[in-house]
Amino acid sequence: MNLLQADSEHSSRPGALKHPVPISAVDSPALLVDGERLERNLAGMQALADAAGVTLRPHAKTHKAIAVARRQQETGAVGLCTAKVSEADTFLAGGLRGILVAYPLVGAKAEALAVLAARTPDTLLEGAADSVEGLFDLGRAASRNGVTLGVWLKVDVGLHRAGLAPDDPGLATLALRALSTPGLRLRGLLTHAGHVYAASPQDVAAIGREEGERLVRAARELERQGTGPLKVGLGSTPTAAAAARVEGVDEIHPGVYVFGDRQQVQLGAMQVQDLALSVLATVVSRPAPGRWVLDTGSKTLSSDRGAHGTEGVRGYGTVRALDAHRPSEGGPLPFVTPMEARTPSAAAADAAPVLTRLSEEHAVLEHKAVLPWGPGDRVEILPNHACAAVNLARALYVTEGAGEDRRVVAVWPVTARACVQ
Ligand code: PLP
């Protein structure tokens, strides 16, 4: 049965199946999304943003799916961030607006952004830069295509990837350059404190506060030098709670929060029972005592051990029985409790058996205790890094219910998968 073709035209909800099917109807490997947990995660991050008085502009690189972006907007999010112009193109085609390509755009990418802006007027498409060259390319492309592009300057608050340091005098040079470049409108400063992924859970809140304070201070200093009002946009899933509460922050850009993954659990940002994404897998071999082989290798899970090259988690994913999936336990929404007050549950997350090796189409589980699985049995894997796994899939199989009653109720295409240009 090809579930992708089973998308119902009769449904008011895109991708919803007219007749929900049991998980047994889905071939493996496949990405399962627990619909109820997804909704709780969307509501939790929205509640966090509302309580802090900031706008939630989520990063769509995690889900790459128009259906998820629409649910984010329906829950209160305003706009989207992407890393790629081609992702922005896909989401614009899906009717989404207010897209910020939060990545330094140079050369052909600057041109592509301007061409897209000219093709989709009044969609509030914006880009980012961290160099004079980038601003030059964006300005030239904007003029050539007859558009004005909103531009955000990228700042480095500790990840030491792209962006100028908040106290780098070059930041003022860039701001003044953006202000004086025809075709550009300076919108604000943005950052992502990705170094949090290498931190220990106790340090996450401090990194978030510092992320906010550094960026706000930089924005106010530029304003003092005459830029006019600047927006402040920042955030990651782990730092969102602390950064959003810093006075002067305007918007937060978390991405992973929609699904969560093992690295979020390891950092204490989410609990295992919040994780909405899992990978359905089949045991294909049990060639020796203590070794199981699954049909789900690096081409499904990716070999990622964590964001930004950090190796935060052990192995390549935890494995659990399909019917071990339990409904959410209610209680407070994820994210709304400040990081400081949360109890990291890393140990609990890793009590389950862990994939020890991956090749492209095989995942190896080596475990001392006897596990009740043999060839043909189906299991679920909690991946290390949701974004990397989703980008490898064609579709998300959205489920409702738990245990034996769990059913696939919708199939959502990963619309922007492999959009890397
Ligand atoms: N903003 C930027 C610029 C990013 O690079 C990322 C992630 O890479 C995010 C926001 C989202 O953060 P997270 O993946 O922690 O949710």
Side-chain angles (χ1 to χ4, degrees):
M1 175 182 191
N2 184 345
L3 287 174
L4 277 173
Q5 283 168 5
D7 286 4
S8 169
E9 291 165 13
H10 321 278
S11 167
S12 58
R13 307 208 53 190
L17 299 181
K18 192 174 174 198
H19 302 293
V21 296
I23 292 191
S24 57
V26 181
D27 196 7
S28 70
L31 262 53
L32 306 178
V33 171
D34 179 309
E36 188 208 352
R37 291 182 185 189
L38 170 66
E39 290 299 322
R40 277 175 56 78
N41 294 343
L42 297 180
M45 190 56 80
Q46 191 60 53
L48 181 161
D50 293 346
V54 300
T55 299
L56 171 58
R57 178 161 17 187
H59 207 304
K61 51 138 202 158
T62 301
H63 56 72
K64 288 180 171 256
I66 288 170
V68 180
R70 289 197 185 134
R71 283 300 307 132
Q72 288 174 313
Q73 315 265 290
E74 287 160 8
T75 313
V78 179
L80 282 182
C81 292
T82 68
K84 302 291 179 170
V85 178
S86 57
E87 291 173 326
D89 193 355
T90 304
F91 286 111
L92 284 171
L96 281 306
R97 299 292 177 255
I99 298 176
L100 162 57
V101 183
Y103 192 92
L105 298 168
V106 292
K109 297 292 184 299
E111 179 69 16
L113 186 77
V115 168
L116 186 55
R119 217 179 68 214
T120 57
D122 305 322
T123 55
L124 304 174
L125 180 62
E126 300 174 331
D130 74 348
S131 65
V132 170
E133 291 85 346
L135 290 172
F136 177 82
D137 289 351
L138 283 166
R140 189 175 53 179
S143 298
R144 206 156 39 201
N145 289 279
V147 294
T148 299
L149 289 173
V151 63
W152 294 66
L153 299 179
K154 192 148 191 179
V155 176
D156 172 20
V157 293
L159 175 58
H160 304 325
R161 193 174 60 177
L164 267 57
D167 55 358
D168 187 327
L171 203 51
T173 310
L174 291 184
L176 298 177
R177 180 65 71 99
L179 286 168
S180 61
T181 303
L184 298 187
R185 191 157 52 90
L186 180 60
R187 293 274 291 128
L189 303 184
L190 72 84
T191 195
H192 165 65
H195 52 299
V196 71
Y197 285 103
S200 59
Q202 308 83 269
D203 296 332
V204 171
I207 291 172
R209 270 194 304 278
E210 203 175 70
E211 176 185 25
E213 286 165 5
R214 285 187 175 165
L215 202 62
V216 170
R217 213 177 306 129
R220 298 297 93 92
E221 173 57 25
L222 293 179
E223 288 169 351
R224 203 187 55 74
Q225 295 183 38
T227 58
L230 294 176
K231 292 278 184 199
V232 173
L234 49 71
S236 65
T237 294
T239 61
R245 287 185 288 149
V246 172
E247 185 70 34
V249 170
D250 296 298
E251 47 181 81
I252 55 170
H253 304 158
V256 182
Y257 78 98
V258 287
F259 300 139
D261 52 26
R262 287 181 75 219
Q263 59 180 350
Q264 299 299 334
V265 175
Q266 185 258 337
L267 278 173
M270 297 175 80
Q271 307 284 319
V272 178
Q273 62 268 25
D274 301 328
L275 301 188
L277 184 82
S278 61
V279 179
L280 177 68
T282 301
V283 178
V284 293
S285 171
R286 190 184 42 196
R291 181 165 9 119
W292 293 257
V293 182
L294 280 54
D295 62 349
T296 312
S298 60
K299 283 184 173 164
T300 313
L301 293 165
S302 86
S303 326
D304 230 321
R305 304 284 292 275
H308 306 299
T310 56
E311 301 214 338
V313 287
R314 202 161 54 82
Y316 296 95
T318 33
V319 185
R320 65 186 186 190
L322 248 183
D323 63 9
H325 179 89
R326 303 266 172 263
S328 297
E329 283 154 20
L333 288 171
F335 311 111
V336 289
T337 315
M339 246 348 259
E340 299 92 317
R342 288 186 218 160
T343 323
S345 60
D350 268 355
V354 168
L355 295 175
T356 42
R357 283 188 281 145
L358 288 188
S359 49
E360 290 179 46
E361 311 293 0
H362 302 74
V364 179
L365 170 61
E366 288 153 314
H367 200 66
K368 288 203 177 70
V370 175
L371 298 170
W373 305 315
D377 286 337
R378 303 203 330 151
V379 294
E380 236 180 324
I381 300 167
L382 297 175
N384 290 349
H385 191 180
C387 315
V390 169
N391 185 49
L392 296 170
R394 285 199 304 162
L396 303 170
Y397 293 78
V398 185
T399 70
E400 268 177 23
E404 306 275 299
D405 297 328
R406 200 167 169 204
R407 301 193 107 56
V408 178
V409 296
V411 183
W412 290 343
V414 182
T415 338
R417 77 180 285 259
C419 281
V420 293
Q421 292 176 319

